[in-house]
Amino acid sequence: MSSEQEYAHGVLGEWAVVGHGLNIASITCSSLVIISVIARAIHSRSILKRTTFRLSAWIAVCDIIYSVCQICTFNNAYMTGLPETNLRIIHWFMSASVLTIAFLSGCIGVDLMLAVVSHSTRIANLIRPWYEAASFFLGFLITHPFLYLYKSVQWAEVAQIFHIYTDPAYYKMTSWLTMWAWLFSICIFLFLAMCATVLKMHRQLMGKASYIARSKDGEGFTAYEQQPMSRERQRYIRSVCIRILAYPLIPILTQIWVLAANMAPQAPMWLYVMANIVPATQGILNFLAFVANPAWDQFRDKLIKKYYVVREKRAASAASKESDSGFSRLVEEGTICNSPCPSSLQFNVEKC
């Protein structure tokens, strides 16, 4: 079967230009995230205890790897001239970076389930230092069989896609075992974690939730009822919850198209375009989630207060200058004397 007959879609065409722009924007945004995390960590290392803040930098690293590889795939002529080893490496890096992002986002989901839903903060504190190492290890280990598993890997120029020369049933089974089944499972888990977190926060905000904590004497557990919150506190908690949930939502929004394209017997052109263009926005979406991260709230408040203080000082300085200017004008007009007066300014020059 020829490549033209096997693939229902054609090349990306002008969509490749869009993909180039989105990937360049993602690389730029991801670089800003990494630089911001390093700079903030140098200023205060305690900020690295914030799970979402810390993992944002590692997600950005994976976004850069994926975007660089995808820029290569958007260049059809360049990919056609590459040897098979290079093609396998590019495919591996793309798959590994996507799966690592999914695992890192899954760690945020695990953290939400432990810290927010079940209040198992002790367990969460024990496993938090291992999130990054476990995610990268699993992401690159699970996908590495692509380097040697198939008989031949070529670039299908007419379809702008990797062409695997092997039994189709065997390829489908191995690709799901080494990539898509893991990605699909993580997306399902993230969706369930989001639903559980939203439900838990809703019950707490409505004052209907109770939590279980160890009793003061250390024996057994005691149930404590949720205390009523002020409206301002409710709004803030709701805002924090929504912003944190943006992290597990990003892999679902960007990878659902790739999953659908790989599940379809023959992906139509529109699905093929979505599967290539939407994942290119991962770095941009991660940057937006990072900027809205609750870890920046205190820093943002300081900037806003500083801005208003500077603004008030400038307003006071302008008012003072205006007053001095008016005083000088009155002196020049002779309305107010310019020589020393006994105790207060006299509004009649003749009395000076």
Side-chain angles (χ1 to χ4, degrees), residues 11-23 70-71 73-76 160 269 272-273 276-277 280:
V11 297
L12 286 169
E14 295 180 354
W15 286 107
V17 180
V18 178
H20 269 291
L22 290 174
N23 277 297
Q70 196 176 41
I71 286 175
T73 63
F74 285 152
N75 191 332
N76 214 2
Q160 207 165 353
M269 185 61 185
Y272 170 66
V273 170
N276 280 275
I277 298 301

Side-chain angles (χ1 to χ4, degrees), residues 25 28 38 40 44 47 143 147 157 176 179 219 312 332:
T28 304
I38 293 174
R40 193 77 176 91
S44 175
I47 196 68
T143 55
L147 292 172
E157 187 176 1
W176 272 86
M179 177 67 179
E219 298 293 335
E312 289 175 0
E332 291 173 1

Side-chain angles (χ1 to χ4, degrees), residues 41-298:
I42 292 174
H43 182 265
S44 175
R45 290 189 62 85
S46 61
I47 196 68
L48 295 178
K49 294 179 181 179
R50 298 288 190 98
T51 304
T52 54
F53 189 87
R54 191 179 76 245
L55 294 184
S56 294
W58 295 107
I59 292 175
V61 170
C62 295
D63 283 329
I64 291 176
I65 295 173
Y66 179 84
S67 293
V68 170
C69 292
Q70 196 176 41
I71 286 175
C72 295
T73 63
F74 285 152
N75 191 332
N76 214 2
Y78 173 76
M79 292 295 290
T80 304
L82 289 179
E84 182 179 350
T85 302
N86 292 23
L87 292 175
R88 288 179 181 267
I89 292 174
I90 290 175
H91 191 288
W92 177 44
F93 271 44
M94 291 182 70
S95 301
S97 59
V98 168
L99 197 56
T100 303
I101 291 173
F103 276 120
L104 289 168
S105 302
C107 290
I108 296 176
V110 170
D111 207 72
L112 288 172
M113 293 295 291
L114 291 175
V116 178
V117 178
S118 64
H119 296 285
S120 303
T121 53
R122 184 170 175 272
I123 299 175
N125 291 332
L126 287 175
I127 64 176
R128 276 170 184 163
W130 302 97
Y131 283 162
E132 297 94 321
S135 297
F136 273 86
F137 178 77
L138 290 174
F140 281 82
L141 177 67
I142 292 171
T143 55
H144 91 281
F146 189 87
L147 292 172
Y148 54 82
L149 200 58
Y150 305 113
K151 180 180 178 180
S152 177
V153 177
Q154 300 296 330
W155 182 253
E157 187 176 1
V158 294
Q160 207 165 353
I161 198 171
F162 291 96
H163 184 78
I164 314 299
Y165 289 91
T166 189
D167 178 56
Y170 176 72
Y171 171 70
K172 187 174 183 179
M173 179 192 70
T174 53
S175 63
W176 272 86
L177 288 175
T178 59
M179 177 67 179
W180 306 119
W182 294 89
L183 189 60
F184 183 76
S185 301
I186 293 172
C187 288
I188 293 296
F189 167 73
L190 290 174
F191 178 76
L192 295 176
M194 288 174 58
C195 292
T197 303
V198 170
L199 181 61
K200 181 70 174 181
M201 296 304 296
H202 177 73
R203 287 174 58 83
Q204 286 185 338
L205 291 176
M206 295 296 103
K208 297 177 182 179
S210 61
Y211 61 93
I212 306 298
R214 189 175 294 276
S215 57
K216 294 181 179 180
D217 58 5
E219 298 293 335
F221 295 87
T222 304
Y224 296 91
E225 292 297 328
Q226 175 70 29
Q227 297 298 321
M229 300 181 187
S230 64
R231 294 201 175 195
E232 183 179 355
R233 182 65 176 170
Q234 288 181 359
R235 284 195 297 268
Y236 179 72
I237 292 178
R238 190 179 291 110
S239 170
V240 169
C241 181
I242 292 172
R243 286 180 283 165
I244 290 178
L245 289 177
Y247 283 98
L249 183 62
I250 292 172
I252 298 175
L253 294 177
T254 57
Q255 296 304 319
I256 191 67
W257 309 101
V258 185
L259 287 169
N262 282 271
M263 292 175 68
Q266 288 188 341
M269 185 61 185
W270 70 269
L271 185 57
Y272 170 66
V273 170
M274 294 295 288
N276 280 275
I277 298 301
V278 177
T281 63
Q282 288 179 140
I284 302 172
L285 295 176
N286 181 51
F287 173 76
L288 295 176
F290 175 75
V291 170
N293 195 300
W296 289 107
D297 286 352
Q298 188 176 2

